[in-house]
């Protein structure tokens, strides 16, 4: 159930951003209709999936509903030319590589205390940062300079 929830969370992030974009474009009626479809789908899918897989059925129903993020995306693409994958796929790949390293480290290092767990998480974060510096150094530094300029200039 945890892995399904994590995958569902990825789709939910897209859903929230796309629905907020529709609201910003003044399409409140469309947002209401999509939300109604999602609620209906959740109820229709949850009952049979719970009967088949107990609690995991609830999580699976949520995953299936969240995978319909393409519905608001289709509505936004009618108004604005948008490409959501080019900005997110590389970072998703870096996260997956870091996750694989974390998985490997958790099998090498016995995690039996909070300090060791924090250390392993720190190592995973360093792997992610290293990947960012290796492949996205220019964009990362540009964003850092923009951030510093916005925060520290009057």
């Amino acid at each position: 159930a945890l892995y399904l929830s994590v995958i569902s969370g990825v789709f939910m992030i897209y859903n929230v951003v796309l629905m907020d974009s529709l609201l910003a474009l003044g399409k409140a009626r469309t947002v209401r209709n999509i939300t109604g479809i999602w609620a209906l789908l959740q109820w229709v899918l949850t009952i049979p999936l719970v009967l088949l897989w107990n609690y995991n059925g609830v999580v699976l129903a949520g995953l299936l509903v969240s995978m319909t993020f393409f519905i608001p995306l289709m509505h936004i693409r009618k108004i604005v030319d948008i490409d959501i994958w080019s900005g997110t796929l590389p970072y998703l790949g870096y996260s997956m590589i870091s996750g694989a390293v974390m998985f490997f480290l958790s099998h090498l290092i016995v995690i039996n205390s909070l300090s060791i767990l924090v250390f392993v998480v720190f190592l995973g974060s360093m792997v992610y940062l290293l990947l960012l510096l290796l492949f996205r150094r220019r964009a990362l530094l540009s964003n850092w300079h923009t951030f510093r300029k916005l925060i520290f200039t009057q």
Side-chain angles (χ1 to χ4, degrees):
L2 177 64
Y3 295 121
L4 291 177
S5 295
V6 170
I7 294 169
S8 178
V10 171
F11 290 114
M12 285 183 197
I13 291 169
Y14 284 118
N15 282 334
V16 168
V17 171
L18 294 171
M19 293 296 269
D20 286 348
S21 299
L22 279 173
L23 283 173
L25 292 169
K27 300 294 183 183
R29 182 175 289 164
T30 304
V31 169
R32 180 200 63 204
N33 294 341
I34 293 171
T35 304
I37 291 169
W38 284 344
L40 182 68
L41 277 173
Q42 186 71 41
W43 278 100
V44 168
L45 291 173
T46 299
I47 295 169
L49 291 175
V50 164
L51 293 174
L52 287 172
W53 291 297
N54 300 322
Y55 176 72
N56 290 331
V58 175
V59 178
L60 183 59
L63 173 63
L64 293 174
V65 171
S66 69
M67 288 174 63
T68 60
F69 74 93
F70 62 88
I71 295 172
L73 181 60
M74 289 183 336
H75 287 282
I76 289 177
R77 281 193 173 160
K78 291 177 185 175
I79 303 167
V80 179
D81 185 28
I82 184 172
D83 179 22
I84 61 172
W85 299 114
S86 64
T88 56
L89 277 182
Y91 298 100
L92 182 61
Y94 305 146
S95 297
M96 292 173 75
I97 292 169
S98 297
V101 169
M102 293 285 292
F103 182 78
F104 181 70
L105 283 177
S106 70
H107 283 54
L108 286 179
I109 302 171
V110 177
I111 301 173
N112 55 8
S113 70
L114 182 61
S115 59
I116 294 174
L117 177 64
V118 168
F119 176 70
V120 171
V121 169
F122 176 76
L123 286 177
S125 301
M126 290 299 104
V127 168
Y128 184 77
L129 183 61
L130 179 68
L131 288 170
L132 284 180
L133 288 173
L134 204 63
F135 295 107
R136 298 284 185 175
R137 179 183 205 98
R138 186 172 294 150
L140 191 65
L141 291 176
S142 172
N143 289 340
W144 173 251
H145 291 303
T146 302
F147 173 75
R148 278 191 20 206
K149 190 169 89 173
L150 290 173
I151 296 299
F152 296 114
T153 59
Q154 297 175 351

